[in-house]
Amino acid sequence: MNRSAPYGSADSYREFRHPLAALVLAVVTAGALDAFAFLRYGAFVANQSGNAIFLGMGPAGGHPTWPVSAASIVAFATAAGLVNLLRRRTRPTAAPLVDIAVTEAAMVVWTVLNLALAYGRHGTAARVLLAAAGAIAMGSLTTVATRTAGIATPITYQSDTTTQTGERAVRWLFGPAAGRGRARRGTLLGLLALVSYSAGGAIGTLAQHRPRWVPLWGTIALAALILLLRRHPRPPSRPG
């Protein structure tokens, strides 16, 4: 990931009135839906690193539902690429709203399919379609806010977050004094994202016992992001 990404990238401080609340809401929801999908469909809809492993395990005989993972990877990448292109072609003041609207539309489709296909109970073909629908929603969601106050904070995957949190923690504790403030902020943001994703996983695990409406609850939760949007995006604040 380009850590010096331009200000034009999706930054929660620029696009939301309560950026940390928006970040936590998005990450918790992604974690919950990821856990739900894995337990019900046999593949992740957000954590594509896990799905990539399943692609190797499947043909080797260790993960028979690997086609579901393949569908999720393709759908996630396609959605993320298309929505990112759409953001770039939309005026800055409207880009975050368009992004959330696309995510919500994908979530509604996923909710309907989850009901119609009995949350994947009837075989691999249904799970392939459901995982693809969920991954389209998560691929769109991942573009909503890729940074917080200029610091990379991915929503739907946490491998990079873990790496960068460790790097920043070391710089905070042992690095030059001039960079410790930013390293501290980055460390705390990383920990916040990791805790939020884990909390979402717990929620999704509990929710999958009543699986019919889980995507709907995610749809409602993410709709709250609209209420947190700024009227006019502004440069990210730089806390002291």
Side-chain angles (χ1 to χ4, degrees):
M1 178 176 294
N2 181 5
R3 299 185 192 182
S4 60
Y7 164 68
S9 61
D11 192 298
S12 61
Y13 264 83
R14 180 172 64 92
E15 298 185 341
F16 294 95
R17 291 182 292 110
H18 302 288
L20 294 184
L23 177 66
V24 169
L25 176 61
V27 173
V28 168
T29 303
L33 295 174
D34 216 16
F36 165 77
F38 175 71
L39 292 170
R40 285 291 168 177
Y41 310 155
F44 297 107
V45 291
N47 175 22
Q48 299 304 326
S49 296
N51 284 331
I53 293 295
F54 293 155
L55 286 186
M57 293 172 59
H63 194 72
T65 60
W66 65 269
V68 185
S69 296
S72 180
I73 290 174
V74 172
F76 184 98
T78 301
L82 290 175
V83 175
N84 184 59
L85 180 63
L86 181 62
R87 281 188 65 102
R88 291 175 181 274
R89 293 185 174 182
T90 304
R91 67 181 187 277
T93 55
L97 180 59
V98 169
D99 200 338
I100 294 171
V102 172
T103 301
E104 284 292 283
M107 290 291 297
V108 169
V109 171
W110 183 18
T111 298
V112 172
L113 288 175
N114 190 63
L115 283 170
L117 298 177
Y119 42 88
R121 288 191 305 171
H122 302 317
T124 300
R127 292 171 188 161
V128 164
L129 188 56
L130 288 168
I136 288 172
M138 293 299 98
S140 178
L141 178 64
T142 202
T143 67
V144 167
T146 58
R147 306 176 73 77
T148 301
I151 296 171
T153 48
I155 291 174
T156 57
Y157 58 95
Q158 303 305 323
S159 297
D160 193 43
T161 300
T162 302
T163 300
Q164 294 191 34
T165 300
E167 293 176 356
R168 291 163 182 159
V170 170
R171 291 202 302 270
W172 175 18
L173 296 174
F174 305 110
R180 287 185 181 177
R182 180 176 175 80
R184 174 178 57 82
R185 291 195 297 273
T187 301
L188 295 177
L189 281 170
L191 291 174
L192 178 65
L194 290 170
V195 170
S196 298
Y197 206 77
S198 297
I203 294 170
T205 300
L206 295 173
Q208 63 91 23
H209 296 295
R210 294 176 177 250
R212 290 182 180 275
W213 300 105
V214 173
L216 176 62
W217 303 131
T219 306
I220 294 172
L222 293 176
L225 290 174
I226 297 174
L227 303 177
L228 299 176
L229 284 172
R230 295 188 188 280
R231 288 183 178 274
H232 301 289
R234 69 182 186 185
S237 62
R238 302 293 182 184

